[in-house]
Amino acid sequence: MQISLQQVVPDFFETGKSNGSQLWNQSLSFSTGENIHIVAPSGSGKTSLIHFLYGLRKDYSGHILYDNNDIKNFDAEKFSTWRQQNISIIFQDLRLFTQQTVLENLEIKRLLFPYHKESRITAMAKRLGIENKLTKLCSTCSYGEQQRIAIIRALQQPFDFLLLDEPFSHLDENNRQKAMELMQEEATERKAAIILTDLKKIDYFQAERMLYL
Amino acid sequence: MPLSYKNIAPFLKAGQNKVSRWLSYIGLGVGVLLLLSSVQMYTNINHLIRDKNSRKSGTDFISITKTITNDNMGKDNRFTDGDIKELQAQPFIDGAAPLKANAFKVTANAGNMIPFSTDVFVEALDNNFIDTVPSGFKWTEGDEFVPVIFSSEFLEMYNVFAPSWDLPQMSEKTASSVQLFLQCHGRDGNRQYKAKIVAFSDRINSILVPEKFLAQQNKALEGVENVPASRVFLKTKDANNPQLLTYLAEKNYHVNKDKTKFGRVKGVLQAIVSGLAGFGVLVILLALVLFSFYLQLMIARSKDNLQLLLTLGYSPGWLSKTVAQKWIPVYTAIIVAAVVATQLLHLGFQHFVTPARDELPLLIDWIVLLIAILLLALSIAINYRLVKKSLLKL
């Protein structure tokens, strides 16, 4: 799978704001197997970019293509197919079902298009140190724990692209590394690409391409 | 394990509005019962009243005339070709044939055998409309006698007054063997024919002769070819059809009330039952609207969760189908219960209202079952569309 950007500029950008960006208003493509690191300060449109790529928002000019299909023409049904099998995401604002247990949050994603067996959830939770939280309500978990739940949830499906929007903002260094290792292993297993946005460069993310917004 | 409603149920906040849900279930049940039992009653009424008058062939024959009033008394009240064509064109009339009458005078006598002579009228009718047409009911010039079909009622009348006139009473068989003479007088001459009764008719109160005989005498004796008919015979599936009766009344045609008296009762009963069915449809619609409010409320309450499910990759089509399917067993149970109740009401109707009859079928009509299945499909389709529309709006 390939994701292509053709002169994409957010509608809300003031004229000239995209000047000097290596991504906005450029033509470039990302392919499976690549690791792409996008670094930018706050307010430069990192979250907007991830939302554009995932198809949550359409307030931009230019085109984003999944293979050769312009996603502005997709309806909700078509997006659901791509999201089940080709693109997974970790939102900056996590987007968990706070009134459900941790396990329910993970299972609802896994069951949609199962890539792993249920036992793998426990193994992943153990690896990221939240195995004792599985039966707890999500709302009772700390933000750092919820961030790890969101990471594990994103890994329950098949994907060609894993979109990460500042996924470690509330994790300590040790947990960041563990989570990154897990995600890279899972991406490698699927021969998938990772697109990671963050405020600064993350050393333990082995990126082939580094882009500044 | 395939995904099912059970998996997404914890994410839907459904349990808050039980009252409106149960009210909609009860409403649906009552509405469906009203509609189904009304339809069943409608078919029962049709069945019972049609059976009253129908012939073995399942067709009714009635004769109509134009109603004579003080206003139209001196005018020509016979049927024109246009009138007959219009009658034939009506969907509830299977056929219309004029009773052609004689334009010449006819006197009938039985020769020396029975000293009896009377002026009579003769008529001719399309053979398809006569209940008893023997093979010999045709005539060509030179035949030994003219075949006649005689009304059974006329023979009965004759037998009533015959003794007081010192005439012999006659059975149908004897009457058939009597040699009759028809004296035909007209502007252009007189003719005498031998005649013989070849059949008796219960249906037609007249003396029928073959069409060819009548046409030839009308032409030869009076010089007329097409005598307009005063009576028209109608063939219809149901002489009590309210549509037919309304049409005849509108056209001011007179029809034997005895043959159609059930039609008026049937009209009233069918109007009542139709009203009940209409009310049933209204109740069903209200119940479906109430249930749609319940669904919309559930979707509004679960908006955030449903939005997140869609974001995670759940398809709106699958979610709508799964949520709508959840109520299939409930809807099926409600509609099956209504069908069972309709069957019980039907049995009750047979037992208490028509105890001496066995002419109604034991089971409810297939159309009632068809309506029940259609209602079930309609309810599920409405729920599916509603949920999908609401989801796509999120």
Side-chain angles (χ1 to χ4, degrees):
Chain A
M1 183 189 169
Q2 196 170 56
I3 296 181
S4 309
L5 287 86
Q6 297 172 350
Q7 268 69 46
V8 174
V9 179
D11 291 345
F12 51 87
F13 263 25
E14 295 130 23
T15 320
K17 193 178 174 182
S18 60
N19 291 349
S21 167
Q22 292 181 319
L23 204 141
W24 297 132
N25 211 13
Q26 304 290 325
S27 280
L28 65 166
S29 297
F30 308 128
S31 301
T32 46
E34 277 189 286
N35 284 338
I36 302 111
H37 194 352
I38 297 166
V39 180
S42 299
S44 49
K46 291 188 298 297
T47 298
S48 298
L49 172 69
I50 293 292
H51 285 189
F52 293 161
L53 291 176
Y54 195 63
L56 288 184
R57 284 166 54 185
K58 292 182 177 175
D59 51 337
Y60 59 87
S61 59
H63 303 281
I64 296 173
L65 312 177
Y66 288 177
D67 291 334
N68 289 316
N69 308 301
D70 191 335
I71 64 170
K72 268 192 179 168
N73 302 326
F74 284 12
D75 60 10
E77 285 298 334
K78 190 132 190 176
F79 268 122
S80 74
T81 314
W82 285 91
R83 289 172 188 170
Q84 282 174 23
Q85 299 174 51
N86 305 98
I87 298 187
S88 192
I89 190 167
I90 297 165
F91 293 104
Q92 190 185 26
D93 57 356
L94 306 180
R95 305 201 181 187
L96 298 169
F97 298 101
T98 51
Q99 295 309 307
Q100 263 60 49
T101 66
V102 173
L103 192 59
E104 280 173 334
N105 267 277
L106 300 173
E107 273 294 275
I108 197 69
K109 181 67 178 168
R110 191 187 73 82
L111 287 169
L112 186 58
F113 207 98
Y115 182 80
H116 290 308
K117 287 184 178 161
E118 196 182 348
S119 56
R120 192 73 180 267
I121 287 179
T122 321
M124 285 184 185
K126 200 168 182 180
R127 193 162 157 185
L128 297 190
I130 54 166
E131 77 272 22
N132 58 340
K133 297 287 177 185
L134 287 176
T135 53
K136 299 280 188 296
L137 273 186
C138 216
S139 56
T140 62
C141 297
S142 71
Y143 203 84
E145 285 163 344
Q146 290 190 15
Q147 212 155 34
R148 281 173 274 175
I149 297 163
I151 290 168
I152 297 172
R153 182 179 70 181
L155 303 177
Q156 299 309 311
Q157 64 165 92
F159 57 79
D160 297 316
F161 277 86
L162 179 61
L163 308 179
L164 311 176
D165 186 12
E166 296 186 47
F168 311 127
S169 55
H170 287 75
L171 295 182
D172 59 43
E173 199 58 24
N174 183 32
N175 275 316
R176 284 180 178 211
Q177 288 198 26
K178 281 186 191 168
M180 194 68 244
E181 257 176 44
L182 178 65
M183 286 190 285
Q184 281 199 306
E185 274 173 33
E186 292 284 328
T188 309
E189 191 180 310
R190 294 166 173 84
K191 297 184 178 64
I194 295 177
I195 299 177
L196 185 149
T197 66
D198 214 314
L199 291 165
K200 54 183 182 0
K201 185 177 178 305
I202 294 173
D203 294 333
Y204 40 84
F205 176 50
Q206 308 298 318
E208 281 89 24
R209 288 164 82 179
M210 173 86 89
L211 297 167
Y212 290 93
L213 264 186
Chain B
M1 185 188 72
L3 269 176
S4 66
Y5 182 79
K6 213 172 110 185
N7 300 108
I8 56 165
F11 301 86
L12 301 175
K13 294 166 185 169
Q16 308 293 316
N17 205 15
K18 281 185 182 167
V19 176
S20 72
R21 195 177 67 197
W22 277 101
L23 274 179
S24 76
Y25 290 166
I26 294 166
L28 185 71
V30 170
V32 173
L33 177 62
L34 263 175
L35 179 65
L36 296 186
S37 48
S38 302
V39 172
Q40 182 57 46
M41 220 37 83
Y42 195 94
T43 57
N44 283 356
I45 290 166
N46 259 343
H47 206 92
L48 287 172
I49 287 180
R50 186 163 46 211
D51 278 355
K52 288 273 180 205
N53 268 348
S54 69
R55 305 276 172 179
K56 278 180 184 159
S57 62
T59 311
D60 285 344
F61 290 89
I62 48 173
S63 80
I64 57 167
T65 53
K66 289 194 175 176
T67 308
I68 309 296
T69 61
N70 284 342
D71 295 331
N72 66 11
M73 232 160 63
K75 298 174 190 164
D76 186 354
N77 288 309
R78 292 179 294 182
F79 289 90
T80 62
D81 287 347
D83 292 335
I84 293 168
K85 275 186 188 139
E86 193 189 319
L87 282 163
Q88 284 166 337
Q90 300 308 314
F92 37 79
I93 294 173
D94 295 339
L99 262 162
K100 292 168 194 158
N102 53 318
F104 51 94
K105 282 188 175 176
V106 187
T107 309
N109 65 70
N112 298 328
M113 199 173 157
I114 306 166
F116 171 70
S117 171
T118 181
D119 283 348
V120 293
F121 55 91
V122 291
E123 288 178 298
L125 178 65
D126 184 335
N127 282 3
N128 291 325
F129 285 73
I130 307 172
D131 48 349
T132 45
V133 188
S135 55
F137 192 63
K138 51 191 172 212
W139 180 85
T140 41
E141 187 71 62
D143 279 357
E144 192 191 342
F145 62 86
V146 180
V148 170
I149 295 177
F150 204 70
S151 162
S152 306
E153 278 186 38
F154 287 0
L155 180 66
E156 207 178 306
M157 273 164 58
Y158 166 82
N159 282 332
V160 168
F161 66 75
S164 55
W165 285 12
D166 289 332
L167 293 170
Q169 285 186 313
M170 278 189 281
S171 68
E172 282 192 3
K173 201 176 170 187
T174 314
S176 302
S177 63
V178 171
Q179 174 83 68
L180 296 173
F181 295 93
L182 296 178
Q183 308 272 355
C184 306
H185 322 276
R187 188 189 66 189
D188 299 333
N190 299 325
R191 289 178 178 189
Q192 177 169 300
Y193 293 94
K194 286 180 187 170
K196 201 169 177 185
I197 296 172
V198 291
F200 288 88
S201 171
D202 288 335
R203 185 183 293 163
I204 298 149
N205 288 338
S206 184
I207 300 165
L208 295 177
V209 292
E211 275 187 284
K212 195 177 170 188
F213 173 79
L214 189 76
Q216 193 170 321
Q217 302 316 312
N218 275 342
K219 194 178 174 190
L221 299 175
E222 289 291 340
V224 287
E225 293 211 25
N226 281 318
V227 183
S230 296
R231 283 207 286 174
V232 171
F233 240 74
L234 301 181
K235 186 177 173 186
T236 172
K237 283 200 179 57
D238 182 10
N240 289 306
N241 181 349
Q243 258 186 306
L244 169 70
L245 298 183
T246 310
Y247 173 77
L248 294 179
E250 271 171 13
K251 301 296 289 185
N252 223 8
Y253 292 157
H254 178 259
V255 61
N256 186 346
K257 292 277 192 297
D258 186 53
K259 283 202 169 183
T260 57
K261 68 180 175 189
F262 291 107
R264 287 178 289 280
V265 179
K266 185 168 149 183
V268 173
L269 283 176
Q270 283 181 342
I272 294 169
V273 170
S274 302
L276 272 178
F279 185 64
V281 169
L282 194 70
V283 174
I284 291 171
L285 285 178
L286 284 175
L288 288 176
V289 168
L290 189 63
F291 193 73
S292 84
F293 288 157
Y294 163 75
L295 276 181
Q296 281 171 345
L297 195 65
M298 184 185 81
I299 289 166
R301 279 192 174 135
S302 316
K303 187 182 165 197
D304 292 344
N305 283 357
L306 285 167
Q307 240 167 3
L308 186 48
L309 285 173
L310 292 174
T311 305
L312 291 178
Y314 276 80
S315 110
W318 181 86
L319 276 174
S320 319
K321 201 172 79 186
T322 311
V323 171
Q325 273 174 352
K326 147 92 171 139
W327 281 279
I328 290 180
V330 181
Y331 273 50
T332 309
I334 291 170
I335 289 174
V336 166
V339 170
V340 171
T342 306
Q343 175 66 61
L344 292 175
L345 281 173
H346 176 61
L347 291 175
F349 180 80
Q350 275 184 317
H351 187 73
F352 295 109
V353 184
T354 58
R357 291 177 221 284
D358 55 356
E359 60 217 52
L360 283 179
L362 200 63
L363 293 176
I364 51 174
D365 203 70
W366 64 271
I367 199 99
V368 174
L369 288 175
L370 184 71
I371 290 173
I373 293 166
L374 286 177
L375 279 176
L376 182 62
L378 183 78
S379 318
I380 293 165
I382 286 175
N383 284 349
Y384 172 76
R385 282 183 64 86
L386 180 85
V387 175
K388 188 159 186 182
K389 213 171 148 189
S390 311
L391 279 177
L392 290 175
K393 268 193 210 160
L394 289 177

